[in-house]
Amino acid sequence: MLGTCTAQRVVGLDTRGRSSWLAELGVISVTDAPFRADPTGREDSTKSIQAALDEGYRTNVTVFFPRGTYRVTDTLNCSQTWSGPWSPPFRTGTHVLVGETPREAGGERPSLLLPPDTPGFTDRSAGKIVLFFWHQNPNSASTQTQPMNNINQILQGVDIRIGKGNYGAIGIRHRGAQGSAIEDVTIWAEDASVGIVGAAGGGGAHTNVRVVGGRFGLDLRLAQPAPTVVGASLVNQTCSALVYAGRGPLSLTGAQIE
């Protein structure tokens, strides 16, 4: 199963060496040409994955991660932008990342691996994000995020493994509005600062998220109004499993904290 997200078909994907059956579905794979991300974890796949993310955003298709381990050493940037008004590409310019479903319970899942002691991630006082979803209006001189416009951006079924010694690492930052989500994701945080920063509200939600280790599991002080989290599992954080400060109540359903 590739997930429930749909996208327009892009004619001519096969001519660039990608799987024709994925092209028919409006999907590109990070392991296909021209990206060729390494699913064994031996090679650094940061640039390959970023190129796939950029292409998926540009052509409005889903980016698919086959089962495997993908080594990354820098922030993967899922930046969304629009110039208004409330019309395409506002509604269609989006990042949708979907991982391959394991063939059996407990089977191999796709995961992003941040190796131990990765430069840039080791300073606890200077947080650095592994996977960053955000929005910027190009008409603004500011480079700050605009979370109320960060919509329809989705991560589904791709785990993150953070190696030891990455004290400043933040697994995912995703503060979004309607249609934005983190779904079916586990973050193995080890020594990291935070598993997930940011919550989705106003029609967005984080569902079936699990954080093991780290100083904080969910840091939801950056959140859209009335955010929703369903099915959170927070295990062995050294400071706090969850912190929240935002407009309106946080709806937290089915949480397990150890």
Side-chain angles (χ1 to χ4, degrees):
M1 179 178 177
L2 294 178
T4 58
C5 306
T6 59
Q8 67 190 42
R9 177 184 175 187
V10 179
V11 177
L13 283 178
D14 330 356
T15 63
R16 298 181 61 179
R18 303 177 200 161
S19 301
S20 59
W21 68 276
L22 288 177
E24 290 291 331
L25 296 173
V27 176
I28 58 175
S29 171
V30 297
T31 57
D32 282 347
F35 316 113
R36 301 194 185 282
D38 174 24
T40 70
R42 291 189 289 266
E43 302 294 331
D44 188 342
S45 293
T46 309
K47 291 182 179 180
S48 298
I49 293 173
Q50 187 63 62
L53 297 179
D54 293 344
E55 179 74 357
Y57 176 78
R58 185 185 70 82
T59 57
N60 194 37
V61 298
T62 296
V63 177
F64 177 59
F65 288 76
R67 292 187 303 273
T69 299
Y70 301 88
R71 179 184 293 260
V72 297
T73 56
D74 203 352
T75 300
L76 294 172
N77 182 34
C78 294
S79 172
Q80 182 187 63
T81 189
W82 67 288
S83 57
W86 288 67
S87 61
F90 179 59
R91 293 285 176 179
T92 57
T94 181
H95 293 88
V96 177
L97 286 59
V98 176
E100 184 175 6
T101 303
R103 293 176 180 173
E104 64 281 326
E108 183 183 21
R109 294 166 53 90
S111 63
L112 304 175
L113 170 65
L114 184 71
D117 303 309
T118 299
F121 290 89
T122 59
D123 185 354
R124 181 171 291 170
S125 65
K128 187 174 176 68
I129 304 161
V130 178
L131 183 58
F132 188 15
F133 293 87
W134 65 292
H135 179 97
Q136 180 192 1
N137 188 329
N139 295 327
S140 170
S142 172
T143 58
Q144 295 181 349
T145 63
Q146 297 182 323
M148 67 180 179
N149 294 334
N150 182 25
I151 69 168
N152 296 338
Q153 303 226 83
I154 297 172
L155 173 67
Q156 181 185 88
V158 180
D159 296 339
I160 296 179
R161 296 181 176 272
I162 300 174
K164 290 181 177 296
N166 293 304
Y167 301 105
I170 297 167
I172 304 168
R173 177 170 169 174
H174 193 3
R175 176 184 178 181
Q178 60 264 37
S180 287
I182 301 172
E183 302 175 343
D184 190 23
V185 169
T186 295
I187 300 174
W188 305 90
E190 290 285 356
D191 301 324
S193 178
V194 190
I196 297 174
V197 167
H206 297 341
T207 305
N208 293 336
V209 293
R210 184 181 185 219
V211 181
V212 180
R215 297 179 69 231
F216 295 90
L218 303 180
D219 183 349
L220 308 185
R221 290 174 293 177
L222 297 175
Q224 287 307 97
T228 299
V229 179
V230 179
S233 177
L234 307 172
V235 181
N236 291 341
Q237 280 75 49
T238 58
C239 290
S240 179
L242 182 149
V243 289
Y244 172 67
R247 287 177 52 196
L250 165 67
S251 297
L252 179 64
T253 304
Q256 177 183 5
I257 298 176
E258 298 180 18

